[in-house]
Amino acid sequence: MSSSTTTQIPKWNIKSDYVETCNCDYGCPCNFNGFPTYGFCRALILYHIWSGSYDDTKLDGLDFITAVSWPKAIHEGNGTAQLFVTNKASEEQRQALINIVSGQAKGDGPFALFASTFKYFLEPQFVDIKVNLNGKKSSFSVPGVMDVQTESFTNPVTGEEQDTKIQLPKGFIWKLAEAAKSRIMRITTPNLNFDDSGKNAFYAVVDFKGP
């Protein structure tokens, strides 16, 4: 009699605040035609998990950041990714987030889809993540590593804040996002080093789950 072992992928889900900043012009043309404004893509994205789990491991209240860069459009590949997880996460929580973000845990949302576009998935970092969530006026940072602050668009004549949203009914990351801009968006590491302040930003609430 022969026996075979199959590795079952745990069920998982996360519902979180989502703050995205990238190097594209406002609105990010990647959402419309797949090609970035300047021919390449760089982004710093915060997830603040309201509620979530990976098998029996609870993920509520955890913060993580994905720092990503592609030399051309995302779908053309050869990207580099690095995950930054709050140092408040336990060993089980850290491994769960690594499995989700690296695409090993499959599921919907961007993680498994983007995983196929990365040439390098750098060693995850467990760090002090500082977060201030306030919709389009949110901020997050890792002291000495990265700093992000977003802000609303304002009417140049009246100074009134613009209520600008983008709706993508078939969007795989978000369906509805508040469009904003970055006041500060920079990272300094040996492998990822860029400053794309003053470019595109989004705030949304996202909900992803595994198989």
Side-chain angles (χ1 to χ4, degrees):
M1 179 186 286
S2 63
S3 62
S4 60
T5 328
T6 49
T7 306
Q8 189 166 356
I9 297 170
K11 290 184 183 291
W12 62 270
N13 66 88
I14 59 172
K15 183 172 185 177
S16 77
D17 291 286
Y18 172 92
V19 182
E20 172 189 336
T21 57
C22 74
N23 67 300
C24 277
D25 286 346
Y26 305 148
C28 182
C30 300
N31 290 305
F32 305 99
N33 64 14
F35 291 94
T37 304
Y38 303 102
F40 59 92
C41 179
R42 303 191 293 216
L44 301 175
I45 302 162
L46 168 78
Y47 295 82
H48 170 74
I49 301 174
W50 298 0
S51 61
S53 62
Y54 182 89
D55 207 357
D56 294 328
T57 302
K58 287 289 186 187
L59 304 175
D60 301 15
L62 296 180
D63 296 306
F64 69 92
I65 298 165
T66 55
V68 290
S69 176
W70 291 268
K72 293 184 179 179
I74 294 172
H75 62 270
E76 296 185 88
N78 291 314
T80 299
Q82 187 157 33
L83 171 64
F84 295 83
V85 177
T86 174
N87 52 19
K88 296 175 184 174
S90 68
E91 183 57 42
E92 291 78 12
Q93 290 171 325
R94 293 177 182 191
Q95 193 56 54
L97 290 175
I98 291 170
N99 290 348
I100 291 170
V101 175
S102 67
Q104 296 174 62
K106 309 298 183 185
D108 62 8
F111 305 119
L113 190 61
F114 282 170
S116 65
T117 71
F118 294 130
K119 185 176 182 181
Y120 305 104
F121 195 85
L122 305 176
E123 192 71 25
Q125 302 295 303
F126 307 105
V127 294
D128 179 24
I129 299 178
K130 299 187 180 301
V131 176
N132 178 27
L133 286 167
N134 184 21
K136 290 183 285 187
K137 301 178 187 175
S138 295
S139 63
F140 60 91
S141 64
V142 175
V145 176
M146 76 177 79
D147 191 11
V148 172
Q149 295 178 28
T150 64
E151 60 186 4
S152 301
F153 295 109
T154 54
N155 183 309
V157 178
T158 66
E160 182 184 7
E161 281 191 24
Q162 306 276 42
D163 184 16
T164 310
K165 294 180 173 67
I166 294 180
Q167 187 168 9
L168 299 174
K170 295 183 180 179
F172 64 93
I173 303 177
W174 43 263
K175 303 287 192 292
L176 179 66
E178 296 185 52
K181 59 181 177 176
S182 59
R183 194 161 74 83
I184 300 173
M185 186 278 214
R186 57 177 174 241
I187 182 172
T188 307
T189 73
N191 296 291
L192 292 165
N193 190 339
F194 50 82
D195 185 335
D196 292 311
S197 303
K199 298 295 183 180
N200 176 68
F202 293 117
Y203 169 81
V205 173
V206 295
D207 194 351
F208 307 133
K209 62 182 183 299

